[in-house]
Amino acid sequence: MDDRRDQTAVVTGGSRGFGRGIVEALAAAGMRVVAVARDPGALAALAREVKGRVETVGGDATDPVTAARVIDRERPRVLVLNAGATGPHRPTRLQTWETFSVFWQTDVRSAFLWVRVALALPLERGSTIFIGSSTAAWSSQPLIAGYAAAKAALWEFARCVAPEAASLGLRVARDGHGTAAFARWMRVGEADIARQMGLEPPLTPALVGATVVRILTDASCAGEVGFRVTADGVQPMSEVG
């Protein structure tokens, strides 16, 4: 990762789960990594336990002031938008707009806010913006309509904003991954979710982190926007049937 060594990455939702795995992988690759999250205890553990140059910012990724301050101060060469909500999964008829839109108000809102600031500044040419999504975007599970719709919106947002970013010399990459948190919210086994989504064995934070590093450094990934991430590796969406 010679071209990224000693540069700065910012990871939202970086204190636990896949976000922490991404922080660990980028730090191990030589980057200075700034993790943004709300939980001060989890951020303290991250700073204490992860090797490399890791700094933390306590803040809400859905706050436009936090997004503006962090991006303006850090000018990251890599921006990973991983923040996501937890919320109720139930049939649509038992939802209110407030419960249904939890994922839109966090996952989609935070992605929009941080991407908007990155483009308006703009970040230095050659920088990369990762927008995290989920394979749930392709799911037809009736209990996760709000979650799946939000994740599908992130896929389309990334696809549509990529040409605008490219005109500024920036790259947008989107990835679909994940079963662990989804399985906890559904109160079923992770193995069951992984089987239904064709993600056996399930992904780990370390694998997701390694995938982000590969997308950054592998020349074969350079022309792609969307990637499907599984335990077997990363596959450009242009190759997914």
Side-chain angles (χ1 to χ4, degrees), residues 52-198:
R53 294 178 300 154
V54 176
E55 300 175 24
T56 63
V57 173
D60 186 341
T62 67
D63 175 23
V65 175
T66 297
R69 285 177 175 170
V70 172
I71 290 180
D72 187 55
R73 180 180 68 237
E74 302 298 343
R75 307 293 175 110
R77 292 301 303 275
V78 176
L79 175 61
V80 182
L81 304 177
N82 178 71
T86 58
H89 292 290
R90 59 181 69 148
T92 299
R93 67 183 183 277
L94 301 180
Q95 298 271 15
T96 65
W97 173 247
E98 288 71 25
T99 60
F100 182 87
S101 64
V102 165
F103 308 103
W104 292 78
Q105 296 297 342
T106 297
D107 305 38
V108 180
R109 174 184 168 90
S110 63
F112 164 75
L113 290 173
W114 290 74
V115 168
R116 182 190 60 158
V117 175
L119 299 183
L121 190 61
L123 293 179
E124 183 178 345
R125 297 181 70 87
S127 299
T128 300
I129 303 168
F130 282 92
I131 299 176
S133 183
S134 169
T135 51
W138 310 307
S139 174
S140 58
Q141 291 281 346
L143 300 182
I144 64 164
Y147 178 78
K151 295 305 182 182
L154 287 170
W155 277 89
E156 292 307 307
F157 174 55
R159 183 175 67 86
C160 293
V161 81
E164 181 181 351
S167 72
L168 299 169
L170 308 178
R171 179 188 181 195
V172 170
R174 58 182 178 173
D175 66 316
H177 56 248
T179 59
F182 181 50
R184 286 197 301 274
W185 300 334
M186 292 292 291
R187 298 181 181 177
V188 298
E190 186 176 348
D192 293 334
I193 293 294
R195 203 161 31 245
Q196 292 176 32
M197 293 186 173

Side-chain angles (χ1 to χ4, degrees), residues 211-222:
T211 294
V212 169
V213 172
R214 181 188 167 188
I215 292 171
L216 279 171
T217 58
D218 189 333
S220 67
C221 298

